Amino acid sequence: KNEVEQSPQNLTAQEGEFITINCSYSVGISALHWLQQHPGGGIVSLFMLSSGKKKHGRLIATINIQEKHSSLHITASHPRDSAVYICAVSGFGNEKLTFGTGTRLTIIP
Amino acid sequence: GAGVSQTPSNKVTEKGKYVELRCDPISGHTALYWYRQSLGQGPEFLIYFQGTGAADDSGLPNDRFFAVRPEGSVSTLKIQRTERGDSAVYLCASSLGPGTGDNEQFFGPGTRLTVL
């Protein structure tokens, strides 16, 4: 079974700061997903990646397959970025997701 | 187009009762997933359908839980003899399916189940 760990569990930062959230996993994967969950809200997919780097607006996701590690970066953070960010992985031949416990991000104006 | 929808959004029931939770995936998505999220935890996998068949039901906690997807579209998660420990948010997701080169999963808003 793949063990997915995220750090930090909680992160509070000032508006405008550069944010990094880390994810590591124990077994080789077919893809890694970064998801966003607002309080009381549903889950939104931010990125799905299997190698390299992806960018969408102020969000950047990177993955190092050899080191079994991924990072999610937020540039010029804003209070509306406050949410729980969840890392999840899918294995080869089975697309079910194994999730980390999430990182609760709070951006203070 | 419409996203994944789930009904009801909230369900309160008494211990021992039977409940059904419904998921309506995105049209054309052949893969459908059920996950469960307890308070303060990340979601956990329950069952995955490819078309009408359950491709992986290894996450169902016990035989009180059962899910169907008879026509390869709408799915129903059924829980018999509910217990207080079943209280959680039940999430459904759908995707185009493996082999398509795009297995991004789209999540519904969830059904919050409370067992009193």
Side-chain angles (χ1 to χ4, degrees):
Chain A
K1 181 187 172 186
N2 218 331
E3 302 293 334
V4 181
E5 295 188 356
Q6 286 185 238
S7 63
Q9 284 189 300
N10 292 280
L11 178 57
T12 300
Q14 292 289 135
E15 182 174 356
E17 286 190 38
F18 180 81
I19 302 298
T20 296
I21 299 170
N22 295 299
C23 175
S24 61
Y25 51 94
S26 58
V27 178
I29 60 171
S30 62
L32 183 141
H33 304 244
W34 280 103
L35 310 164
Q36 181 192 57
Q37 187 172 35
H38 283 282
I43 292 177
V44 174
S45 176
L46 298 175
F47 294 103
M48 185 179 75
L49 66 167
S50 55
S51 65
K53 175 180 172 178
K54 285 190 176 180
K55 184 176 189 291
H56 184 234
R58 294 180 295 106
L59 273 57
I60 303 165
T62 64
I63 188 168
N64 184 319
I65 296 295
Q66 286 72 31
E67 300 202 353
K68 297 186 176 64
H69 181 270
S70 175
S71 293
L72 176 69
H73 305 286
I74 305 175
T75 62
S77 59
H78 190 276
R80 65 174 174 266
D81 298 326
S82 298
V84 175
Y85 292 83
I86 304 172
C87 169
V89 300
S90 52
F92 296 102
N94 191 325
E95 305 303 321
K96 70 183 183 189
L97 296 181
T98 302
F99 297 81
T101 53
T103 295
R104 183 175 299 277
L105 174 66
T106 304
I107 303 298
I108 299 171
Chain B
V4 178
S5 63
Q6 292 186 247
T7 55
S9 54
N10 280 283
K11 176 71 177 178
V12 180
T13 191
E14 293 180 342
K15 181 175 177 296
K17 298 289 189 183
Y18 168 82
V19 296
E20 289 190 352
L21 311 179
R22 175 187 166 114
C23 172
D24 223 313
I26 292 172
S27 178
H29 280 192
T30 63
L32 184 146
Y33 310 81
W34 282 100
Y35 300 97
R36 176 169 75 171
Q37 186 174 26
S38 300
L39 194 62
Q41 303 293 317
E44 293 180 319
F45 169 75
L46 294 176
I47 186 169
Y48 153 49
F49 287 90
Q50 180 57 39
T52 59
D56 184 345
D57 65 358
S58 62
L60 295 177
N62 51 59
D63 62 6
R64 295 187 297 105
F65 288 74
F66 189 70
V68 295
R69 194 185 185 201
E71 298 179 358
S73 178
V74 170
S75 176
T76 304
L77 178 66
K78 308 179 181 195
I79 311 174
Q80 299 177 319
R81 305 183 303 281
T82 51
E83 299 178 357
R84 292 194 181 89
D86 298 335
S87 297
V89 175
Y90 289 79
L91 296 163
C92 176
S94 70
S95 73
L96 287 171
T100 63
D102 182 358
N103 200 42
E104 181 180 6
Q105 294 187 23
F106 295 83
F107 287 80
T111 292
R112 181 176 299 277
L113 176 66
T114 303
V115 182
L116 301 176

